Amino acid sequence: MSRNAKINTLLLLVVAALAVLPLALGLGDHKEEPFAGADAQAETAITELEPDYEPWFSPLYEPPSGEIESALFALQAALGAGVLAYYFGLRRGRRQGEARALAGPADGEGHEVAGPAADGSPASS
């Protein structure tokens, strides 16, 4: 197994542990909604500290249920990840293309690509 494969496997195990350990250890069992978002927890804390608090703004769209709200949030995260992946892939592709262009004319297998000779006459294959 190569060094990169070992590192990737280790990172995958760490991510899996971060996802499974809170569930396995029962973290959040004492809460009514253990997976509520930070916005809901902040709203609860503000209401406890200042019962007369009035929000400055109201949401433009209030989803009819928590499941739809979670689905919209997941869709937003997926779209953002897709845009970032596209951008970084595009940058990497351009960088690789520039490196190949600077390395010289080759077809990728070490063979010279046929083209015009330096004196302007057509190259023979």
Side-chain angles (χ1 to χ4, degrees):
M1 185 181 275
S2 72
R3 183 172 188 265
N4 284 342
K6 288 179 183 177
I7 291 173
N8 287 341
T9 303
L10 179 65
L11 288 174
L12 184 63
L13 289 173
V14 168
V15 168
L18 285 173
V20 172
L21 282 177
L23 297 172
L25 297 175
L27 300 176
D29 283 348
H30 62 282
K31 296 181 180 179
E32 186 177 320
E33 294 184 35
F35 299 108
D39 291 345
Q41 292 177 357
E43 184 179 344
T44 303
I46 290 170
T47 305
E48 288 175 3
L49 293 173
E50 189 67 42
D52 298 331
Y53 176 76
E54 288 291 325
W56 293 358
F57 301 101
S58 61
L60 297 176
Y61 171 70
E62 187 71 37
S65 70
E67 291 84 8
I68 294 176
E69 186 175 359
S70 293
L72 289 173
F73 183 76
L75 178 64
Q76 176 186 2
L79 286 172
V83 168
L84 284 175
Y86 175 77
Y87 172 74
F88 286 120
L90 186 66
R91 280 193 49 193
R92 182 175 180 177
R94 284 184 180 169
R95 198 171 343 129
Q96 287 176 345
E98 289 173 1
R100 285 185 190 141
L102 292 175
D107 64 358
E109 295 181 7
H111 301 90
E112 294 275 335
V113 176
D119 62 358
S121 63
S124 60
S125 299

